[in-house]
Amino acid sequence: VVLRVAQSSFLSAPKVCSDDQLLEWTLGVKEDVLSGPPDCVPAKWSTSQPSAALLAHNHSQQNGADASPGSPPHFSHLIVYKSDQKWCKKPCNEPSWELSAPKPNNTKTGAYALFEACIWMQENRVALYQFDAAWAEVASNSYNQLCGGKSWGCASYMSHREGRRLYEKK
């Protein structure tokens, strides 16, 4: 009987995500990955695991040098996303489109400025955000770092995202 209980709890334990699964989901490489969180959970990992792969990807996607402090960006990029119930159910309190684009290292002094707008169909609003690499590192580990190892989405993740909102129109 004890063996059967042990086997049962082992079989129902959630599958741990591989680094490739997390990176693929984080970068939004596949459409079906963006339809919701992965069907696995991240292991408690140091910042050197999937985040290192994400940082390497960011480095390869960005221009090489930052401008001097206080100088305006030389290139501004606007990405617009349209989110609906199929992509992220209301309230959308888990990562979805926010992690699909590599983020610049510094939003204050960088030569590159990335702005991301979202048309929240399920919430009847439009919002403009500006995220950086440090924000993305925390967001990509929302399961452990923001939501206490219980879920990919929670009120803390939503606060983390909305804390970077620059504009909103309802």
Side-chain angles (χ1 to χ4, degrees):
V1 175
V2 174
L3 179 59
R4 184 173 283 176
V5 171
Q7 286 176 338
S8 175
S9 63
F10 174 75
L11 294 175
S12 65
K15 181 179 84 172
V16 175
C17 299
S18 69
D19 288 353
D20 288 341
Q21 285 174 306
L22 286 174
L23 181 61
E24 201 169 80
W25 175 71
T26 300
L27 297 176
V29 173
K30 294 182 178 176
E31 283 295 318
D32 59 358
V33 174
L34 293 179
S35 66
D39 62 350
C40 55
V41 298
K44 291 197 176 192
W45 40 272
S46 70
T47 58
S48 66
Q49 282 188 343
S51 297
L54 178 59
L55 292 174
H57 179 81
N58 282 350
H59 180 72
S60 70
Q61 296 295 313
Q62 295 175 14
N63 59 5
D66 283 343
S68 61
S71 67
H74 299 289
F75 181 75
S76 293
H77 186 181
L78 173 65
I79 301 173
V80 179
Y81 301 92
K82 183 177 177 182
S83 177
D84 59 21
Q85 285 288 105
K86 183 178 175 188
W87 198 345
C88 187
K89 292 182 180 169
K90 185 179 179 180
C92 187
N93 63 359
E94 62 192 33
S96 59
W97 59 267
E98 306 95 308
L99 299 176
S100 63
K103 308 299 185 233
N105 288 327
N106 189 329
T107 60
K108 304 286 186 226
T109 63
Y112 170 69
L114 174 64
F115 299 94
E116 296 175 84
C118 184
I119 303 166
W120 294 97
M121 300 299 290
Q122 68 273 47
E123 298 177 6
N124 295 321
R125 68 184 180 107
V126 175
L128 178 68
Y129 303 87
Q130 189 174 28
F131 307 115
D132 61 15
W135 180 93
E137 185 170 336
V138 172
S140 66
N141 191 21
S142 66
Y143 190 93
N144 290 316
Q145 203 163 349
L146 296 172
C147 300
K150 297 177 182 171
S151 160
W152 284 97
C154 61
S156 293
Y157 177 78
M158 195 169 185
S159 295
H160 183 64
R161 180 189 63 225
E162 295 303 313
R164 292 300 182 100
R165 186 180 64 223
L166 302 174
Y167 173 82
E168 178 179 57
K169 179 68 177 173
K170 293 184 178 188

